[in-house]
Amino acid sequence: MADTYDLIVLGSGPGGYVAAIRASQLGLKTAIVERENLGGICLNWGCIPTKAMLRSAEVFHNMKHASDYGLVAEKISADLDAIVKRSRGVAKQLNQGVTGLMKKNKIDVVMGDGKITAPGKMTVKTEKGEEELAAKNIIIATGARARDLPFAKADGKRIWTYRTAMTPPEMPTKLLVIGSGAIGIEFASFYNDIGADVTVVEMLDRIVPVEDEEISAFLQKSLKKQGMTIMTGAGVKSIDVGDKGVKAEIEDSKGKKESHDFSHVIVAVGIMPNIETIGLDELGVKPDDRFHIKTDDHCRTNIDGIYAIGDCTAGPWLAHKASHEGVIAAETIAQSMDKDGHPHVMDVNNIPGCTYCHPQIASVGLTEAKAKEAGHDVKVGKFPFIGNGKAIALGETEGFIKTVFDAKTGELLGAHMIGAEVTELIQGYTIGKTLETTEAELMNTVFPHPTLSEMMHESVLDAYGRVLHI
């Protein structure tokens, strides 16, 4: 006899475990199936442990500049093994936290590989054999993995994905990073800060290409100043792996090909959804145009009772988007079962994005270029960190904040930041966009002094010719 539930969640990442918790809160008997670690990639091999590593790099960077703050720090060095150990400890702590949340919310956890054999049915291969589960509803939250390059298959020695980069077998001396999205740039920033010679190759004409063009340009200038080599409009054509390093043939933006030697390579060219072995073809679950699972606004697939959330669906591929979808799916399922569910539709334009390089990047909504492409007549405001008292006191004067408004209605269309702690500031604009705030409310809001957040106010004021401190 199969164990029967109201809901089975396949995958326990930030989408899956949040969906399970919310479903349990709404009175659904819930199970979660996980093949590796509770918390998924985010908690164990992604968002959290990388931020622990980047924090170590940030502290090391500040120690090297101790004299700027009237302090003396001598003979400082970075211990990569100790940095990794701390990072893994942080991941373990959060994994244990998710385990506790499952117990608190009375969610059954089944460790093993799950496959949906029919609507409402799942087989899980566990250490003890196969276990049969049944549920009225199933949420697929299987996430994604790093995309390989055909000529640069990860080997865990010389060619790394993000997983090896978090537990490196050795410190790279000369590192090639292929791809300048959030993952690539964060690892480039980390290894550069702790002493590696880093080269970033990006196929498009600018790094962090999803960001506003001015943000991309500012970051590129900053990373070059920090000693990185940045090659845009360029491509890696081949990689030959040797015992002591790799030889990469790189074609630059002018079509010139040259061979370069590196000690290690990190491949960060995107993700592939983990959906091949979970029974979707047999069920007839439809993919979208990018091989991800196609869903509607309430995370429903084309098969009744089967939902999908997170990185196995359409982008943006962000942990916080997955968590929010988990809540939407759980609420939708609860409502369908006459429980107290109140699902809502998520606006992807109101999802913030953060990149934890040095300096940090954060954004929400349309870039200036995208706003113009959409037909908006725009007003743009900018304010630099150098004009902010708190930033000067912190010794963090690199960066700026940019806001984009519709000139006719005053609607906040987008906000884009680069500099210290902007990943903490962006939520202010995100709330504003969600509440459909106009420039009037933002200009009339009192911002505390002295704070970095005052730059948000000044950027809005600048869009309307009222900037005060620059």
Side-chain angles (χ1 to χ4, degrees):
M1 292 288 292
D3 291 332
T4 303
Y5 298 90
D6 295 317
L7 170 65
I8 299 170
V9 182
L10 182 58
S12 71
Y17 84 75
V18 167
I21 291 171
R22 185 63 189 128
S24 180
Q25 290 174 343
L26 290 166
L28 276 61
K29 183 181 179 183
T30 304
I32 196 162
V33 176
E34 172 56 52
R35 69 180 181 181
E36 189 175 6
N37 302 113
L38 286 175
I41 294 298
C42 176
L43 266 66
N44 295 282
W45 295 102
C47 312
I48 301 300
T50 56
K51 303 313 165 282
M53 295 174 76
L54 285 159
R55 173 59 173 164
S56 293
E58 180 185 23
V59 172
F60 184 53
H61 172 85
N62 289 338
M63 291 173 68
K64 289 189 292 184
H65 293 84
S67 61
D68 294 345
Y69 300 89
L71 304 173
V72 177
E74 298 177 343
K75 297 181 180 180
I76 62 170
S77 61
D79 184 339
L80 182 58
D81 289 341
I83 291 171
V84 171
K85 182 179 180 181
R86 176 180 181 271
S87 171
R88 300 317 306 155
V90 170
K92 182 179 180 181
Q93 180 179 343
L94 286 167
N95 171 266
Q96 292 171 342
V98 174
T99 301
L101 288 171
M102 296 300 99
K103 291 179 181 178
K104 175 186 175 183
N105 289 281
K106 298 179 173 59
I107 297 162
D108 288 349
V109 176
V110 182
M111 298 302 295
D113 282 297
K115 182 176 181 180
I116 306 169
T117 54
K121 294 183 179 180
M122 186 181 296
T123 298
V124 184
K125 291 183 180 179
T126 71
E127 291 181 351
K128 298 178 180 179
E130 290 193 350
E131 187 172 339
E132 300 295 328
L133 305 178
K136 297 174 183 176
N137 302 279
I138 294 173
I139 295 177
I140 301 167
T142 48
R145 62 188 182 278
R147 185 188 296 271
D148 266 328
L149 287 173
F151 56 86
K153 296 286 187 181
D155 59 13
K157 296 179 181 178
R158 294 292 169 186
I159 302 178
W160 301 349
T161 64
Y162 62 86
R163 289 190 70 145
T164 304
M166 277 187 284
T167 54
E170 58 192 351
M171 174 67 185
T173 54
K174 193 171 183 182
L175 176 66
L176 170 63
V177 178
I178 306 174
S180 73
I183 293 173
I185 284 295
E186 285 182 0
F187 278 116
S189 185
F190 168 75
Y191 280 107
N192 182 74
D193 266 345
I194 65 169
D197 180 353
V198 177
T199 295
V200 176
V201 173
E202 170 56 52
M203 180 177 63
L204 298 179
D205 62 356
R206 57 191 178 94
I207 59 173
V208 288
V210 300
E211 301 294 344
D212 187 88
E213 290 184 18
E214 288 187 276
I215 298 290
S216 294
F218 191 99
L219 179 64
Q220 180 163 324
K221 183 178 180 180
S222 176
L223 295 182
K224 284 185 174 181
K225 185 178 178 181
Q226 294 173 42
M228 278 193 215
T229 299
I230 306 291
M231 301 179 68
T232 56
V236 179
K237 297 303 178 182
S238 65
I239 290 179
D240 292 324
V241 180
D243 292 336
K244 296 183 179 180
V246 301
K247 187 176 291 293
E249 184 183 48
I250 302 175
E251 183 177 4
D252 67 18
S253 58
K254 298 178 181 179
K256 182 182 179 181
K257 295 180 182 179
E258 286 187 349
S259 290
H260 300 263
D261 293 319
F262 299 95
S263 65
H264 301 83
V265 178
I266 294 177
V267 178
V269 292
I271 60 170
M272 286 290 290
N274 296 319
I275 59 176
E276 295 91 342
T277 62
I278 60 174
L280 299 191
D281 289 340
E282 296 88 337
L283 288 167
V285 174
K286 291 182 179 178
D288 64 14
D289 295 336
R290 291 177 57 94
F291 311 110
H292 293 75
I293 299 172
K294 185 176 182 179
T295 61
D296 67 9
D297 290 339
H298 289 87
C299 306
R300 294 175 288 223
T301 71
N302 61 301
I303 304 298
D304 288 343
I306 297 181
Y307 299 71
I309 62 174
D311 287 1
C312 63
T313 67
W317 299 294
L318 301 166
H320 43 283
K321 180 242 188 190
S323 295
H324 208 82
E325 286 178 326
V327 172
I328 292 170
E331 297 271 0
T332 301
I333 291 167
Q335 186 180 67
S336 73
M337 299 180 67
D338 297 323
K339 304 284 187 180
D340 191 26
H342 299 280
H344 66 282
V345 174
M346 177 172 56
D347 185 348
V348 295
N349 287 318
N350 292 344
I351 301 174
C354 299
T355 304
Y356 298 81
C357 49
H358 180 229
Q360 294 180 4
I361 296 173
S363 60
V364 66
L366 299 176
T367 65
E368 180 180 358
K370 290 293 184 183
K372 290 177 179 177
E373 285 177 20
H376 293 280
D377 180 14
V378 301
K379 283 184 176 291
V380 176
K382 285 182 283 186
F383 194 84
F385 271 58
I386 192 64
N388 176 261
K390 179 67 178 293
I392 294 171
L394 290 175
E396 297 285 0
T397 57
E398 182 182 39
F400 68 92
I401 292 176
K402 177 178 180 177
T403 46
V404 183
F405 292 89
D406 183 283
K408 296 178 181 177
T409 66
E411 178 189 358
L412 175 63
L413 300 175
H416 310 276
M417 309 176 172
I418 184 166
E421 299 303 326
V422 295
T423 56
E424 297 294 337
L425 297 178
I426 193 62
Q427 192 58 17
Y429 285 133
T430 302
I431 293 170
K433 276 189 57 57
T434 301
L435 295 175
E436 299 181 350
T437 296
T438 68
E439 91 291 355
E441 287 86 7
L442 290 169
M443 286 195 288
N444 293 335
T445 296
V446 178
F447 286 73
H449 174 80
T451 64
L452 298 177
S453 69
E454 290 175 279
M455 291 183 288
M456 300 166 65
H457 192 215
E458 293 276 13
S459 179
V460 176
L461 293 173
D462 184 58
Y464 290 85
R466 293 173 54 180
V467 66
L468 297 170
H469 288 96
I470 200 73

